[in-house]
Amino acid sequence: MSSSDTELIGTGLRKRTEKALNDPFLRAAVAYTTDKLRSGRLAAMEEFGDWEQWRSRAREIRAHTIAHLDYYLGQFADNVEKAGGIVHFCSTGAEAVDVFLKIARSKGAKLVAKGKSMVSEEMHLNHHLEQEGIRAIETDLGEYILQLARETPSHLIIPAIHKNKRQIADLFEEESGQPMPPETKALAGYARQKLREIFLEADIGLTGCNFGIAETGAITLVSNEGNGRMVTTLPKTHVVVMGMERLVPTYDDVEVMLNMLARSATGQKLTTYTSFITGPKRRGDLDGAEELHVIILDNGRSAQLGDPVFQEVLHCIRCAACLNVCPVYRHVGGYTYGSVYSGPIGAVLTPLLQQDMKEAGQLAYASSLCGACYEACPVKIPLHDMLVQLRARKVKLGLTPWTERAAFKIYATGFGNVKLYSWGAKLAHYAMKPMARGGQIRKAPGIFGGWTQSRFLPMKPKRSFRERWAELQRELQAEREKQLGGEDR
Amino acid sequence: MKVSLFVTCLADQMYPEVAESVVRLLHRYGCEVDLPELQTCCGQPAFNSGYQDEARAVARNLIRAFEHSDYVVSPSGSCAGMVHHYYPDLFRDEPEWKAKAEALVAKTYEFSQFLVRVLGVKDVGASFPYKVTYHPSCHASRLLGVREEPLELLRNVRDVEFVDLPKKEDCCGFGGTFAVKMADMSEAMVCEKAAHVCETGAEVLVGGDMGCLMNIGGRLNKEGKPVRVLHLAQLLEEGVKLR
């Protein structure tokens, strides 16, 4: 799906699911890479030791920061400004786009070199820049590939997870007009050469922010390709776009978080490059931007503050461990979620950020509630519980079909009373009987059609366990007496 | 020891033989088992679909059913997990019912958990001369924390050839209403699970949750694969007889 034909979330969920499931290349590529990331994470956890303790510590840091977010945002902004940076608080994506465009215009910018930033995807910045006649080039290899393909990221940290080497080579061939072997070395070499020109030419470097450190106003960026360093030091102006929750209080805290982030994301101890940027270039510095702007974006985040059920979603450090273990993500990939944020975290975050339970809320059903996401989350966000709570919110708002509401009313009455339950069970047996062959139902009508599309449904036996119970008790009693009799002799 | 069987609606109506195996094994270890008549379902289908009022109505009924029990044992990790993980929160605004829910949590066990942790039985003295693979269900392991107990019981079965199931921790795609509502996603998941089961060459797939086993078994049946699907209690009980 290209960014230009982004469908409404929810209405298209079924269609997008079908499309993904019928794409064997996508499924193979996603499964292959998530498998690698999963085993890498497990090995890194093992080697690190005391994972659960680290996890608890990381959760505490996030919980504390988010609980006192107003304080830390104030401290962070003050320190950014003390270091010579300029802070812009924006409540919506549109506002943040405007701020960025103003900066770009004042610099007469023609070319923006971008480091990885999910928030800029969230505010559709590239699209707006294009309309203004400003070229924005993604310099993260994955994102660069997607830009050539006119697609958006389908994974938080491996944005082009759904592409294989052949597809990437085809894109590079098209761009360069030269034949390109589908080999990692050649492909990376080509991108490196292309991107170097961009780093040198760009008027503005734009990045996201993995963590902002409140005590100093520093910004931390992690990368494995080194493009983060280039983007932040070569162009004269550096603009950081960050979600308002992306803070930690101190350097000690960021040490814990970086350890957890790299291990959870890729199974690395640390990423190849970790940059700390405090303010613009100072006198005597050999490199660095001359001007540093920090755009801090709310865009629906503050609505979660104080929410007893959903505040913890702001703890997320965007490591994507939940995507890599999610059996749904594994089969359908990122685009099925129809959002910048995919996988279990996306299914929770998207309806909350967009404050849209109707369409985006459909994503809450794209989970079997297996809990693998919670188990993998380095900051213990109970995503599986949140998905259930989102469904409950949908029910409360009256956004579920009336047939479903009626069915659960009947369920509550029928299963809330044992007489009705037993009577209903008998009825079910006779209703199923004509459909069964050899103890199995191969094709069921109505809502159970979805079940039998891929599985047989066993026929319900005539006698329930409770109907057998009295007889079983007598049998067991007789056995016991026989045993006791035997012992007596 | 007096034990109440929390049979679950699925075992009661669809798999009475599983409940029978549980009762027979408990009986073997001197438990006096009763079947509180009031019980029906734990409320999970409604709860997981977001219908909390409806789930509460059914949960109240279950709480009443076991009010006078000492121990409550269930052949399902998912239903026991529902009680443990969600009941207290479901009644967070009703102190009286919350206390009752917590009392039920304190005495509710999944079958293998009860056998190993409460009765201290790790070896039922079974023999099962077949090639077996085991699917750990998500709710038993992640919601209830029952991971080692079923394996401990299986390890002590004689003559069994145990083969590890690849990607065993991946969900089978059941998820209650998920299998019906998101049938396409569910299908992709169960197909992969069934393929892994077949890959092991096992003659028997064993698990501790009839929901998952109905799902995987239903797929294996549709594919015409000759794999027997058994609940752990069935395997152990059959194994005791074989010895």
Side-chain angles (χ1 to χ4, degrees), chain A residues 38 330-331 375 385 391 400 404 409 415 421 440 447 453-456 460 465-466 468 475, chain B residues 12-13 20 24 39-41 48 51 54 86 142 170 180-181 186-187 192 215 218-219 221:
Chain A
R38 269 162 80 160
R330 174 185 183 78
H331 289 288
E375 194 176 58
D385 291 345
R391 296 176 189 182
T400 50
E404 188 183 290
K409 279 272 176 295
F415 283 74
Y421 161 85
Q440 304 279 353
I447 52 162
Q453 138 198 323
S454 43
R455 291 150 284 225
F456 287 172
K460 198 176 117 39
F465 181 72
R466 68 182 66 218
R468 153 104 175 108
E475 282 174 28
Chain B
D12 182 22
Q13 296 300 332
E20 180 160 338
R24 284 184 179 277
Q39 63 173 309
T40 60
C41 170
N48 281 356
Y51 292 82
E54 288 79 355
Y86 291 117
R142 298 198 182 105
D170 275 10
V180 175
K181 260 194 135 142
S186 174
E187 175 175 348
E192 187 175 21
N215 184 41
R219 179 68 207 174
N221 270 332

Side-chain angles (χ1 to χ4, degrees), chain A residues 25-64:
Chain A
F25 289 106
L26 174 137
R27 291 178 68 181
V30 172
Y32 173 77
T33 307
T34 50
D35 279 350
K36 260 180 42 182
L37 293 169
R38 269 162 80 160
S39 45
R41 186 180 69 88
L42 290 174
M45 274 165 57
E46 182 102 341
E47 190 223 39
F48 198 35
D50 299 323
W51 184 256
E52 285 307 310
Q53 274 182 43
W54 281 105
R55 204 175 164 226
S56 297
R57 179 83 192 105
R59 190 200 165 272
E60 276 167 29
I61 293 170
R62 292 304 289 146
H64 170 85

Side-chain angles (χ1 to χ4, degrees), chain B residues 57-226:
Chain B
V58 177
R60 277 198 191 92
N61 185 65
L62 195 81
I63 291 172
R64 274 194 211 104
F66 294 108
E67 219 156 8
H68 304 294
S69 301
D70 296 337
Y71 290 100
V72 177
V73 176
S74 169
S76 158
S78 186
C79 308
M82 170 71 196
V83 171
H84 273 255
H85 193 66
Y86 291 117
Y87 268 27
D89 190 50
L90 196 55
F91 293 105
R92 64 189 171 275
D93 299 326
E94 297 171 66
E96 195 190 324
W97 279 98
K98 186 168 188 265
K100 285 184 188 190
E102 277 161 358
L104 179 60
V105 170
K107 60 188 176 188
T108 299
Y109 296 86
E110 180 270 339
F111 161 73
S112 69
Q113 190 185 30
F114 184 75
L115 219 54
V116 175
R117 287 202 213 155
V118 180
L119 296 180
V121 175
K122 290 171 185 172
D123 184 354
V124 298
S127 158
F128 198 77
Y130 299 99
K131 199 169 175 180
V132 173
T133 193
Y134 169 70
H135 168 68
S137 56
C138 305
H139 282 183
S141 55
R142 298 198 182 105
L143 225 57
L144 199 59
V146 174
R147 292 168 199 265
E148 272 308 303
E149 293 88 337
L151 292 172
E152 200 140 22
L153 288 161
L154 280 170
R155 254 183 245 125
N156 288 310
V157 174
R158 284 128 188 98
D159 313 316
V160 73
E161 189 190 337
F162 192 74
V163 273
D164 203 34
L165 181 64
K167 296 224 174 306
K168 52 182 179 284
E169 68 284 355
D170 275 10
C171 175
C172 69
F174 177 51
T177 50
F178 174 76
V180 175
K181 260 194 135 142
M182 296 285 165
D184 291 352
M185 292 179 184
S186 174
E187 175 175 348
M189 287 154 74
V190 76
C191 287
E192 187 175 21
K193 182 61 79 177
H196 286 318
V197 171
C198 295
E199 218 175 277
T200 64
E203 298 157 278
V204 176
L205 168 70
V206 65
D209 247 301
M210 288 322 295
C212 317
L213 293 178
M214 180 167 83
N215 184 41
I216 308 168
R219 179 68 207 174
L220 291 167
N221 270 332
K222 186 163 178 139
E223 288 180 13
K225 294 283 169 17

